[in-house]
Every structure is written in C-alpha cells, then in structure tokens.
C-alpha cells in the first residue's frame, strides 16, 4: 500500500513548539498578552484596524451576526457551497437563512443571482440584514460589486474568509475590510494558519469591535464609560448583554503568532503547487479551478470537476479510485440547503441548480504546505491512470 496523502495538513516546526512552551511557562495561559499580540499581528498583516480572536470561526461568525444586530425578525443570505457554519450562524440568532446560487466559473456566490434576488426581496419587503460571501478555496468573492449592492440595499457584509488568509483582492489583503463590515478567519488545522482551534474577526468599525469584545466574554465590560451608574470599586464589572465564553487561550495565540511568521511562505508554496497542478492536469478531461482576474487566491483548496461525459468515468468512481490509491481527496461542500436540517426548514433539491451540479462533479485533491513535488506527481499520475481507464496497481 502506498503512503496516505491527506487533502490538507498543518505545518508545525520547532519554533511553533517553543512559542507554545514559552506561554506555558509564563504567568498567563489564557486572557493574557499573547492574545492581543496575535490580534495585532493579523490586523497589521491584513491592513484592518481591529481584530478579535475567538475560540473558532463558527463562534466568530455567531458573534459577528450578533454585532450586526441580526435577530429573529431578520434574514441572512449566504452561498450553498460552504461549510454549514456560514449558514448556522444566522440560525443561532434566530434569523431566517436563505441562499444565493453560485457562479459556475468561480463557485463563489453569483453576483448576478445576488442582484436579482435583492431586487425581488426589496419588492417583497424581505431584504437580508446580513450577507455572508464565502471566499471558496481562498479565491475572494467580487467584493466591490457586493459592496455596491450593500450600499443600495443596506445590508451588512460579513466575509467568511475561513479559506482566505493571505489571499488578495484587487492587490490588497483579504481581511482589510475595505468592502465589508467584518471578515472572519478560521485557524482549524486544515486551514492555512492554525492554532489547533481558533478564529478571528477583523473590522474597521469601532462600534462593532467594542461589541465583539464584550460578546466573546459573557457580555461583560470593565470599561466605566459604558457602565450603567457608578462603578462599585476596582473589582467591579457589568454584564450589559447576553454574551458567551468564546475566548481563545494564550497557548493557542502563541501558536498563531508563530505560524503568522510563515504565512507568506505557506501562500507562496500553495500558489506554486496550484500552478504545477494546472500544468500537470491540463490535458485531462477535468475542469480546473478558474480564477477571476481581480483575485489572487491563497489556495486553501484545489478543486477539480470531473467531466463524466468526456472521461466516461463517474464522479464517484474517480473519487473512490483516488481514495483506494491512498490519496485523501475530499468534497467541499455538500450544498448546505440539501442537508436534512435545512430541508426540514423548507429547502428543496433543485433550489440552487449550479450548486447542485457542482456537487455532482467536484473533488478537492491534496494541497498543503508540506506536499512534496513527488507526492504531487503521484497524484497527477494516478488521476491520469484513473481517467484513462487502466487498472491502477496500489500494491507497488
Ligand atoms: C472551517 C470553516 C468554518 C468553521 O471554522 P471553525 O474554526 O472550524 O469553526 C466556517 N466556514 C468555512 C467556509 C470553513 O471552511
């Protein structure tokens, strides 16, 4: 059996381990100075004013929706081709969730579909309060166009940038929030930078920042200027609203600061691997990932689409043959509206045809910083063999 190649994997070096050990030996293992260092490091890297680190990106999306004022009378829109968390965050707030079909080239939410749906929603007097563009695979959505629509239809833009730390849009870093109110990163180990579990919200809005800081820690403040009445003394704090314990630890933040030092190297390698895949796979009956000219992806994922008519192989056959050859392919994502939970809310098969046809064809092949050129060659050769119909020998 050939060694197993996962689709994604973290890169941990001695310097990461040392950074974590230093925090463990210090006075603060949570709610200490390393969290602010991590926040500053990411905010500076992206060019955003404020950053709030939390326990994971799902928590980040949740309190971002709350900071946007999303409630049970409101509506959140997102893409059906995303991890369920991009939609669930709306449900946590009691809001209604709806979807916008994807662009068949980029797989991000379609600007035309968004514009069309907004016009209809305006007439029906049911506009979304929050729209969550998801930068699938690390390729930014067309943010300038979304911001123009937000201006006209008055919704909050919350970028789910879980895949996109290090990516660029119009030559500037994703997360700078030039075209949005907030952007969220995930630091799960399969993502580009990891803290084990972790997430962060970036924003340029002080009002939102203040709210997020409270919401991540029970809705509690120690700031006298926002308290009701007088402080009782140095021990005093007030809970102003219902918040959560969504804090990250200094142990995790130390790993994050250390990982951030290598972010540019991570992205450079991912871009190189993507370019090599483009070259290695170009003759095969596959659709390779198309890139919008305004974007420069962080390449969290490399997604191919199997052309069943051209290859004579079904999507499932190709997927299973890759797994059988010890290549840890995956599928990002099952359209969220087809999940039983969302079906029970009234969504149906056929609601988002582009998303559903994408799901019939998409495969994420391995892409991560530590993937070697030799492993990549093996993946390309295996695909070539599978698509040419020859039997592959998985014993050698
Ligand atoms: C990973 C991911 C999330 C959730 O991230 P966690 O940190 O695991 O909570 C949300 N949205 C997208 C698009 C993701 O890929």
């Amino acid at each position: 059996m050939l060694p197993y190649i996962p689709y994604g994997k973290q890169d941990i070096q001695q310097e990461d381990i040392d950074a974590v050990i230093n925090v463990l030996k210090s006075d603060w293992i949570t709610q200490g100075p390393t969290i602010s260092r991590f926040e500053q490091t990411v905010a500076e890297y992206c060019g955003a004013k404020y950053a709030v680190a939390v326990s994971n990106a799902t928590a980040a999306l949740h309190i971002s929706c709350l900071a946007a004022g999303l409630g049970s009378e409101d509506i959140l829109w997102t893409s059906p081709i995303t991890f369920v968390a991009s939609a669930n965050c709306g449900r946590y707030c009691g809001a209604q969730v709806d979807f916008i079909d994807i662009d068949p080239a980029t797989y991000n939410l379609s600007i035309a579909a968004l514009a069309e749906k907004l016009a209809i929603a305006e007439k029906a007097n049911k506009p979304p309060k929050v729209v969550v563009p998801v930068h699938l695979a690390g390729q930014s959505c067309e943010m300038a166009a979304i911001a123009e629509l937000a201006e006209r239809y008055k919704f909050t833009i919350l970028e789910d940038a879980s895949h996109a730390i290090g990516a660029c849009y119009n030559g500037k870093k994703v997360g700078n929030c030039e075209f949005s109110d907030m952007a969220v990163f995930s630091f799960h180990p399969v993502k580009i930078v990891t803290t084990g579990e972790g997430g962060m919200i970036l924003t340029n809005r002080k009002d939102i920042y203040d709210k997020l800081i409270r919401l991540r820690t029970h809705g509690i403040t120690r700031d006298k200027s926002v308290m009701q009445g007088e402080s009782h003394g140095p021990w005093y704090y007030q809970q102003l609203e219902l918040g959560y314990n969504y804090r990250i630890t200094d142990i995790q933040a130390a790993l994050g600061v250390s990982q951030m030092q290598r972010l540019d190297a991570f992205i450079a390698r991912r871009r190189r691997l993507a370019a090599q895949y483009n070259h290695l796979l170009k003759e095969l009956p596959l659709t390779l990932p198309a890139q919008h000219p305004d974007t420069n992806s962080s390449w969290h994922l490399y997604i191919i689409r199997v052309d069943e008519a051209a290859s004579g192989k079904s999507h499932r056959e190709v997927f299973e043959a890759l797994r059988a050859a010890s290549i840890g392919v995956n599928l990002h994502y099952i359209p969220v509206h087809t999940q039983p939970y969302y079906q029970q809310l009234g969504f149906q098969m056929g609601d988002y045809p582009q998303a559903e046809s994408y799901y019939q064809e998409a495969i994420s092949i391995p892409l991560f910083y530590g993937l070697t050129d030799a492993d990549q060659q093996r993946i390309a050769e295996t695909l070539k063999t599978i698509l040419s119909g020859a039997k592959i020998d998985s014993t050698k």
Side-chain angles (χ1 to χ4, degrees):
M1 202 58 184
L2 289 162
Y4 179 75
I5 309 172
Y7 86 88
K9 189 175 183 230
Q10 70 275 17
D11 177 72
I12 301 293
Q13 298 296 333
Q14 190 59 44
E15 63 225 60
D16 298 320
I17 296 165
D18 292 343
V20 169
I21 290 171
N22 282 341
V23 165
L24 286 171
K25 289 179 174 169
S26 77
D27 291 337
W28 302 91
I29 60 172
T30 194
Q31 289 181 277
T34 315
I35 294 174
S36 348
R37 255 182 71 212
F38 183 35
E39 291 168 340
Q40 266 166 29
T41 304
V42 177
E44 267 169 36
Y45 182 90
C46 295
K49 279 203 186 117
Y50 309 104
V52 179
V54 291
S55 47
N56 55 66
T58 305
L61 289 164
H62 179 196
I63 60 172
S64 296
C65 287
L66 291 174
L70 192 75
S72 57
E73 304 295 303
D74 300 316
I75 307 171
L76 174 145
W77 289 1
T78 190
S79 167
I81 297 300
T82 184
F83 185 56
V84 291
S86 322
N88 289 348
C89 58
R91 299 295 300 148
Y92 295 155
C93 303
Q96 205 181 314
V97 166
D98 206 350
F99 302 94
I100 305 130
D101 207 355
I102 59 166
D103 179 302
T106 64
Y107 318 143
N108 282 330
L109 64 80
S110 154
I111 302 300
L114 175 62
E116 197 181 324
K117 200 175 170 94
L118 283 165
I120 295 166
E122 189 181 47
K123 284 208 189 84
N125 202 20
K126 282 182 149 183
K129 181 149 195 163
V130 174
V131 173
V132 182
V134 182
H135 307 316
L136 190 77
Q139 172 170 220
S140 175
C141 294
E142 294 161 66
M143 293 309 298
I146 298 172
E148 239 172 71
L149 291 166
E151 183 83 10
R152 172 150 168 222
Y153 292 99
K154 307 289 171 219
F155 55 82
T156 297
I157 304 176
L158 166 55
E159 297 173 75
D160 185 342
S162 291
H163 301 179
I165 195 166
C168 290
Y169 172 71
N170 277 345
K172 292 183 207 155
K173 290 278 161 18
V174 167
N176 73 355
C177 299
E178 183 181 351
F179 296 105
S180 70
D181 298 281
M182 287 167 271
V184 163
F185 292 134
S186 170
F187 305 119
H188 184 278
V190 297
K191 307 291 162 70
I192 289 168
V193 159
T194 192
T195 58
E197 293 276 359
M200 198 178 285
I201 308 123
L202 288 101
T203 184
N204 292 324
R205 287 180 49 180
K206 178 75 164 59
D207 60 328
I208 284 181
Y209 172 72
D210 290 340
K211 205 136 202 242
L212 291 171
I213 286 288
R214 280 204 301 275
L215 286 168
R216 93 169 150 189
T217 176
H218 309 279
I220 282 172
T221 187
R222 291 177 184 277
D223 178 356
K224 286 197 200 88
S225 70
V226 295
M227 284 183 187
Q228 297 179 16
E230 289 296 302
S231 167
H232 299 177
W235 64 87
Y236 196 59
Y237 60 82
Q238 276 185 351
Q239 184 192 344
L240 298 178
E241 63 214 300
L242 186 63
Y244 301 85
N245 181 351
Y246 280 172
R247 294 186 302 261
I248 195 168
T249 64
D250 279 55
I251 306 166
Q252 293 165 299
L255 180 54
V257 172
S258 177
Q259 291 258 306
M260 282 300 292
Q261 313 310 309
R262 302 203 301 289
L263 176 54
D264 286 338
F266 290 164
I267 299 294
R269 177 64 183 159
R270 285 174 176 277
R271 285 184 179 149
R272 167 142 192 111
L273 286 165
Q276 288 176 178
Y277 268 141
N278 289 343
H279 178 72
L280 290 165
L281 306 178
K282 68 175 189 287
E283 308 294 341
L284 299 183
L286 297 169
T287 305
L288 303 184
Q291 298 298 295
H292 189 284
D294 294 344
T295 66
N296 193 0
S297 181
S298 53
W299 293 99
H300 166 54
L301 301 170
Y302 191 94
I303 299 168
I304 57 173
R305 284 177 74 161
V306 177
D307 183 343
E308 193 164 334
S311 67
K313 283 282 175 342
S314 76
H315 172 244
R316 185 165 179 160
E317 277 176 300
V318 176
F319 193 101
E320 287 180 343
L322 285 162
R323 283 270 178 98
S326 287
I327 296 170
V329 289
N330 220 318
L331 207 172
H332 300 93
Y333 291 93
I334 304 160
V336 177
H337 72 282
T338 70
Q339 294 290 354
Y341 173 77
Y342 284 93
Q343 294 271 299
Q344 155 245 303
L345 291 175
F347 293 98
Q348 287 175 2
M349 295 304 276
D351 283 349
Y352 305 99
Q354 292 295 345
E356 290 168 33
S357 96
Y358 164 90
Y359 177 57
Q360 300 300 317
E361 299 178 357
I363 302 177
S364 303
I365 61 175
L367 182 65
F368 52 93
Y369 177 72
L371 185 71
T372 64
D373 288 357
D375 281 346
Q376 189 178 34
Q377 288 281 349
R378 190 184 121 199
I379 295 159
E381 287 303 318
T382 309
L383 259 169
K384 199 182 269 180
T385 314
I386 292 166
L387 291 168
S388 74
K391 183 145 171 36
I392 44 165
D393 181 3
S394 57
T395 56
K396 64 166 199 254

